[in-house]
Amino acid sequence: MKKFNHLIRVVNFSAFLVAIGVSAVAQQLGLGQRNGASATAPAENPISYATPKEYVLADIVVTGNHFLDPNSMISMSGLKVGDKIKVPGDAVNGAIKKLMDQKILEDVEILYRKIEGEQIWLELRIREQSRLFKVVFDGIRKGEKESLNDKIKLPKGRIISNTMIKNTQLAVKRYFVDKGFLNTKVQITQISDTIRGNATLKVAVTKGAKVKIRQIVFNGRNELLEGKVRNKLKNTKQMRFGRLFTPSKFIPKKYEEDKGKLIELYNKNGFRDAVIASDSIIHNSDEKTIDLVMNIDEGLRYYIRNVTWDGNYLYTKEQLDKVFGLKKGDIYNPEEIQKRLEANPGQDVSSLYMDDGYLYYNCRPIEKSIEGDSIDIEMRIFEGKQATINKIILNGNTKTSDHVVLRELFTLPGQKFSKTEIINTQRQLSQLGYFDAEKIGINPIPHPEDGTVDIEYTVEEKPSDQIELSGGWGGYIGFVGTLGLVFNNFSTKNITNLKAWKPLPSGDGQKMAIRFQASGRQYQTYTISFTEPWLGGKKPVTFGVNLSHTVYRTVDYSNYYTQSSSGMKFLGSYQNSGATISLGKRLKIPDRYFVLSSALSYQRYKMDSLDLFGIGYPNGVSNNLTFNLTLSRNTIDNPQFPRGGSSFTLSGTFTPPYSALTGKTSFATKEAQYKWVEYHKWMFDASWFQTVAGKLVLSTRAHLGFLGRYNQNLSISPFERFVLGGSGLAGYGMFALAQDIIGLRGYADRSLVPIYNRLSSTDASQSTTTATGVASSLGGVAYSKYVMELRYPLSLNPSATIFGLVFAEAGNNWGTDKPQKKYKDYNPFELKRSAGVGARIFMPAFGLIGIDWAYGFDALPGQTKRSGPQFHFTIGQQIR
């Protein structure tokens, strides 16, 4: 039998490549007889390239396929049964080219099965490209493998092509180069499974050593300090001893970004034409370090000469110059110019126009003339026409009712468009605490045809309710724990609507808080409060109610280990029951950020064989009826992590002047003296927040407090005094003593109290020191505290806002045992100082949690040794 499976090749190989445009290595072309053809086939091969012959295609079959549909292959080839084709000829060659162009085949052969007269039977013998079974990494850690799998994302079953292999190789190499491994080598091997048509890609990675920057050389740097230039390269640092937080690894992508920042630095300092003329990377022989050389062409430093305005009709040149602020002789800084024009809300030129409705205002600074080192700037203004707000569009509030959001807006339909009011609205919405402050979007939709604008606000709900839950068994004490629930977006009107319980009725902006804390029978406290921020729903009038009850008992520890909890013996007890009703209103004068609030409060203290303050008052009932008046102003932009704004609060608390009404200045017993507590109290709190650089924020605070009396012949009340030290958390029972607990990191909790040196018959309540001079729990009548913090956010995710901080703070607490000189010892410069580091994490369900390490530089009252290092744990937003 002849070699019927002989494969006929193209005679003129070069000409054939030109004709079909594909590589001969990629495929086998030609016509030959299929093995096993009929015995009646002609003795000689009827196919001749010298004398092509025309046949009718009787049939065509596909062989060698595992996954591909044969009918699709025939269709892609362009060959059709019944067509007349010339063999050999363009139809056959064209069919092979079309199939190979699909990029899914490794090889294509066309063979004839048989020829009868004018008919021919053909076979498409194909070899499919392998499909990906899996990717295996070799030479790297497990975590790196997982990261690469996520980055490359090669789906199982994908056809393996040379392009795919090359792209994978580049992606793996780029991944490690971006981590500082510049000498990374990647080799990919394809391991085929011919039976299943699959293949495994084995990616072998040799990372080599991480390449660091030995030195950075700046050629041509003359005008700017070298340290300033180096600091601008935030992610490209040369090696030096002690570098921890910014490693000196070389990352090409970061290097390119830093070069751009370096030119920005020059531009800000007036070097308008500064460029990095060339730079080079020099690989050192150790293959672990490189040198960077930058050749800088600084050019001239330019200054502003003249500023002119064109197109301004509403405002004069003098008015615009005043707002713009830059003048002749100032350094030419394009970034600062743009900031003065439109990037400083409320203080830029754009606000001058846009706050008066001129939404279509535009200003382009043009360099009109450059002479030497001087530049004339022409401000070309298009004022346009005023725009009126047509409607407000609100999106994203899936939980909070529309009316809760709309009532907080400063941009209302019918008003003129105002850029500043839009910024103020954004801040107001963030202060609600219901939305992610980082994702509050504002989109003005102008309608030039009728001079109106729609304003679309987009918000994203975040969890705002909080839970405080802890518990355990204290053995002899019994149950120890806390259960606190705060619902910050409560809705009382939906209480009867069972469909609104998800899990509780919410969306109307009300606040409901319930808290229970216990330490067995020794200490228990119950609190419930409710706040309605818009009483009546039409005006921002806040209404609040608070009810509380506390029981505190002292235990007979002499029999601590012999008694059961049920038989626990108490030596004395203290009870405090109170109720407060408050009203607050936003003011319009001096501005809308002021709030005036008032509160009427009643507290009933009952002492039973317990001298809380060591003043000889172990038994009795004291009543405390107060009226509080508070004036506050708050412009903080974000309650979780403020980056701008301030907060000021001044409050006064007053009891009725009972001594003036009754005329009594002496009492037979302490019980009679303190039956109705008498005092006036003044508190001042101030906070400022300012972005220093990038995300770094400076927070400064000041706190002052004074406790006074109406009658100079009576002692100052032992209630409502000040106690400093520690985290500011009261601890079991302590806050219930009607004291103000003020935190001061670096000192033990409640450790800063004045020492009273002797017992005074005229003012016994002030004498609370034992013979050894140790201060008791009686607090001071005046205090001051000052704090400075640098904060840096690690995460601004609303589900977990985290920031670190370094701080310095100082404070003190004063009192006197001389009744006629109640502030004699007060000295605002005699402070207990501390400094330290800490971290805060805000989680919506638990509130703000913090931990601090602080070092106290001074000694506590009555001691000579400095306080030293202290750890502090805090829960909740600390006011003071």
Side-chain angles (χ1 to χ4, degrees), residues 17 53 119 149 261 266 284 293 324 368 397 423 462 466 500 522 589 607 653 666 695-696 701 729 789 796 820 858:
L17 284 182
K53 186 177 179 181
Q119 291 185 316
N149 277 322
K261 293 176 181 177
Y266 271 97
N284 296 314
V293 179
F324 182 59
K368 191 175 181 180
N397 55 317
I423 301 295
K462 71 173 184 177
Q466 298 174 10
Q522 181 183 5
I589 299 175
M607 275 68 68
T653 304
S666 63
K695 296 180 180 180
L696 189 65
R701 307 197 303 273
L729 297 178
E789 291 181 348
L796 293 176
Q820 304 302 326
D858 299 296

Side-chain angles (χ1 to χ4, degrees), residues 178-362:
D178 287 347
K179 294 184 176 297
F181 297 94
L182 263 64
N183 299 320
T184 298
K185 297 179 180 178
V186 181
Q187 183 176 1
I188 298 180
T189 305
Q190 182 175 332
I191 305 172
S192 299
D193 181 351
T194 56
I195 297 176
R196 297 179 180 85
N198 293 330
T200 297
L201 290 184
K202 182 180 179 181
V203 183
V205 181
T206 304
K207 293 193 295 186
K210 187 174 288 188
V211 176
K212 296 187 177 182
I213 305 169
R214 188 177 68 177
Q215 64 175 340
I216 303 175
V217 179
F218 301 100
N219 294 325
R221 180 207 55 79
N222 299 309
E223 298 296 332
L224 297 184
L225 295 175
E226 183 173 344
K228 195 173 183 180
V229 172
R230 289 189 184 277
N231 288 337
K232 200 62 181 176
L233 304 179
K234 298 294 184 184
N235 299 292
T236 308
K237 302 290 185 181
Q238 71 179 23
M239 296 170 60
R240 67 171 173 79
F241 178 76
R243 185 178 296 285
L244 297 175
F245 300 106
T246 309
S248 60
K249 62 184 179 183
F250 178 73
I251 300 175
K253 182 179 179 181
K254 297 292 184 182
Y255 174 54
E256 292 301 321
E257 292 176 0
D258 283 345
K259 286 196 295 183
K261 293 176 181 177
L262 180 58
I263 295 304
E264 289 177 4
L265 174 66
Y266 271 97
N267 293 159
K268 289 179 183 179
N269 284 272
F271 295 94
R272 168 182 175 274
D273 303 326
V275 294
I276 298 176
S278 63
D279 65 311
S280 56
I281 302 172
I282 302 172
H283 293 264
N284 296 314
S285 57
D286 58 7
E287 296 186 352
K288 295 181 180 180
T289 62
I290 61 170
D291 295 338
L292 295 180
V293 179
M294 294 188 192
N295 299 311
I296 302 173
D297 183 359
E298 294 179 327
L300 290 175
R301 189 197 296 265
Y302 290 90
Y303 300 88
I304 296 174
R305 184 170 63 181
N306 297 311
V307 178
T308 58
W309 303 85
D310 181 56
N312 55 304
Y313 301 100
L314 295 168
Y315 299 99
T316 64
K317 178 183 185 303
E318 289 71 25
Q319 290 174 308
L320 294 173
D321 283 340
K322 183 178 180 180
V323 175
F324 182 59
L326 297 179
K327 57 187 183 301
K328 185 176 182 178
D330 288 340
I331 291 175
Y332 179 74
N333 180 355
E335 183 177 309
E336 182 64 21
I337 290 173
Q338 205 62 38
K339 180 180 177 181
R340 301 294 182 98
L341 289 176
E342 59 181 29
N344 192 11
Q347 302 177 27
D348 56 19
V349 175
S350 70
S351 295
L352 191 65
Y353 280 92
M354 290 190 176
D355 287 353
D356 197 27
Y358 290 92
L359 171 62
Y360 308 105
Y361 151 88
N362 178 266

